Amino acid sequence: MRKFAVILIASLATYCAFPAFADEATPVATDPVLEEHVKAITEELRCLVCQNQTIADAHADLAIDLRNQVREKVKQGMSDQAIKDYMVQRYGDFVLYRPPVKSTTWLLWFGPFLLLLGGLVILMLRLRSRTTPDEMISESDLQRAAALLRASPESTKE
Amino acid sequence: MKRVLVFLLPLVGFALLIGFLAVGLKRDPREIPSPFIGKPAPAFTLTQLQDQNKTFSPKDMLGKVWLLNVWASWCVSCREEHPVLLDFAKQNVVPIMGLNYKDGRKEGVDTLSQMGDPYQLSAFDADGRVGIDYGVYGVPETFVIDKQGVIRDKIIGVITPEIVTQKLLPLIKELNRA
């Protein structure tokens, strides 16, 4: 139990350490509002070199370049959507952490719901077929069950 | 029959899952489908690596099928690719243009004089701007560009002799006929 608590605290501590780590990647903010804006955009973009990191978090050279690129475009007054489109033009939908809903991504977006629906249908069918055998308990089985219950009255009292 | 189905259904599901996973294993997650294929090569004008008074622009190549190979002196895989490119350049089937990506002029020139120069010329992209416009995310990358200046294919990573004979040569032949 004690060991468990230690592990829990340790893992919580590392978890808490990570946001601070992520901040290190962004250069010293000259304009905090601008930096916040740049961060908000780059957190939605995937780094192509280290594919499980956002461009905001990644330390790869390309991510740094792309962060600078985003900062420049924000300064020029480009809208968030326009900046994302700029990235998609170059790197494809892959660069987006939220893939757009379109015909090629329907399976991705709606597949889980299809599976859920399929599961529900199977469950319904099974539950429905289960009611029939219940009603078909024979008279002799019922009598045996009653006899068993009578034979051990102690077990039912607690 | 119903009993058989109860046992068979999970088995089929399992086989399906294994199938998906097996395909997933074979695919290289680094190979991101390029949104550029079938689109015009982005325009740029850069100075040449070996001669900063001269420039290069993709529109200089209109009317020719050509390769744009992104490379850098600091890129280890490029060294692996280099002899293949030298061999390919000797065959004289297609002009190979270099894009020297995020490199120093001296380092770039030195690399080519030491290892041989497969390129007709290299454009010097010191800050990697043109690289970003071409969606470059790892070096080496090679673009196949047709006579109209449209990108027809992109090879991510090292070009091997197999890629040259099985992919590049047939594609270049086809594009040259068009």
Side-chain angles (χ1 to χ4, degrees):
Chain A
M1 187 58 213
R2 193 163 192 167
K3 207 169 170 185
F4 176 72
V6 170
I7 292 173
L8 186 72
I9 289 168
S11 56
L12 273 177
T14 45
Y15 178 75
C16 294
F18 270 106
F21 186 69
D23 278 339
E24 257 176 49
T26 53
V28 185
T30 39
D31 175 355
V33 181
L34 174 74
E35 282 318 306
E36 266 314 299
H37 192 171
V38 169
K39 208 175 153 211
I41 296 172
T42 50
E43 269 174 351
E44 292 278 307
L45 298 174
R46 182 198 303 269
C47 172
L48 293 112
V49 183
C50 19
Q51 296 182 351
N52 286 334
Q53 279 186 301
T54 64
I55 287 180
D57 285 343
H59 293 254
D61 262 6
L62 180 69
I64 297 169
D65 286 351
L66 289 177
R67 273 204 296 276
N68 291 335
Q69 198 87 336
V70 169
R71 183 174 302 113
E72 220 169 85
K73 303 239 174 270
V74 170
K75 270 189 195 159
Q76 286 167 10
M78 214 169 171
S79 76
D80 292 13
Q81 194 50 50
I83 293 173
K84 278 182 195 163
D85 290 345
Y86 170 91
M87 292 292 173
V88 170
Q89 257 175 36
R90 280 156 183 74
Y91 303 105
D93 286 337
F94 187 86
V95 78
L96 299 174
Y97 261 112
R98 287 175 217 263
V101 182
K102 56 185 192 185
S103 58
T104 48
T105 56
W106 282 349
L107 197 63
L108 177 72
W109 279 99
F110 305 118
F113 297 105
L114 267 178
L115 284 179
L116 185 69
L117 206 72
L120 280 176
V121 168
I122 290 173
L123 185 70
M124 291 256 289
L125 287 177
R126 296 220 72 180
L127 285 180
R128 205 179 277 172
S129 64
R130 188 179 279 181
T131 48
T132 19
D134 274 353
E135 288 164 4
M136 291 194 330
I137 295 173
S138 65
E139 195 58 33
S140 60
D141 279 348
L142 280 176
Q143 276 172 7
R144 243 182 80 217
L148 283 170
L149 283 173
R150 250 179 283 123
S152 57
E154 296 303 314
S155 64
T156 51
K157 286 181 210 157
E158 285 265 341
Chain B
M1 183 57 215
K2 215 172 166 190
R3 262 199 108 75
V4 176
L5 211 69
V6 165
F7 286 104
L8 220 56
L9 220 59
L11 191 70
V12 170
F14 181 68
L16 222 68
L17 187 71
I18 290 291
F20 274 115
L21 291 177
V23 172
L25 264 182
K26 290 263 169 66
R27 291 177 55 176
D28 183 356
R30 275 186 52 81
E31 278 190 28
I32 300 160
S34 174
F36 285 100
I37 291 167
K39 296 220 176 98
F44 65 83
T45 304
L46 287 174
T47 60
Q48 295 182 12
L49 175 69
Q50 281 112 331
D51 185 351
Q52 42 181 323
N53 298 316
K54 284 192 196 156
T55 59
F56 172 72
S57 174
K59 62 174 186 283
D60 302 345
M61 299 302 288
L62 281 177
K64 283 184 214 162
V65 179
W66 59 292
L67 300 185
L68 182 70
N69 176 258
V70 185
W71 68 281
S73 66
W74 46 262
C75 151
V76 181
S77 318
C78 298
R79 284 172 187 266
E80 197 182 323
E81 182 184 70
H82 209 84
V84 181
L85 285 181
L86 282 171
D87 262 2
F88 193 29
K90 264 189 220 138
Q91 295 179 32
N92 252 328
V93 259
V94 69
I96 306 173
M97 300 292 162
L99 182 71
N100 183 234
Y101 175 70
K102 298 195 76 172
D103 210 344
R105 209 178 269 279
K106 188 183 172 309
E107 288 87 337
V109 172
D110 285 353
T111 305
L112 291 185
S113 54
Q114 278 162 26
M115 300 188 60
D117 188 350
Y119 309 108
Q120 300 213 336
L121 60 89
S122 278
F124 182 57
D125 182 24
D127 57 7
R129 272 307 157 85
V130 171
I132 289 179
D133 279 343
Y134 275 75
V136 171
Y137 61 90
V139 226
E141 281 184 20
T142 309
F143 295 84
V144 183
I145 300 168
D146 72 7
K147 290 176 182 170
Q148 283 76 40
V150 174
I151 296 177
R152 300 308 287 263
D153 204 354
K154 175 189 182 184
I155 288 137
I156 294 157
V158 174
I159 291 184
T160 59
E162 289 77 45
I163 291 178
V164 171
T165 51
Q166 285 163 22
K167 206 169 175 186
L168 288 177
L169 283 174
L171 179 63
I172 289 161
K173 214 181 229 175
E174 189 197 318
L175 293 176
N176 266 324
R177 235 181 278 139

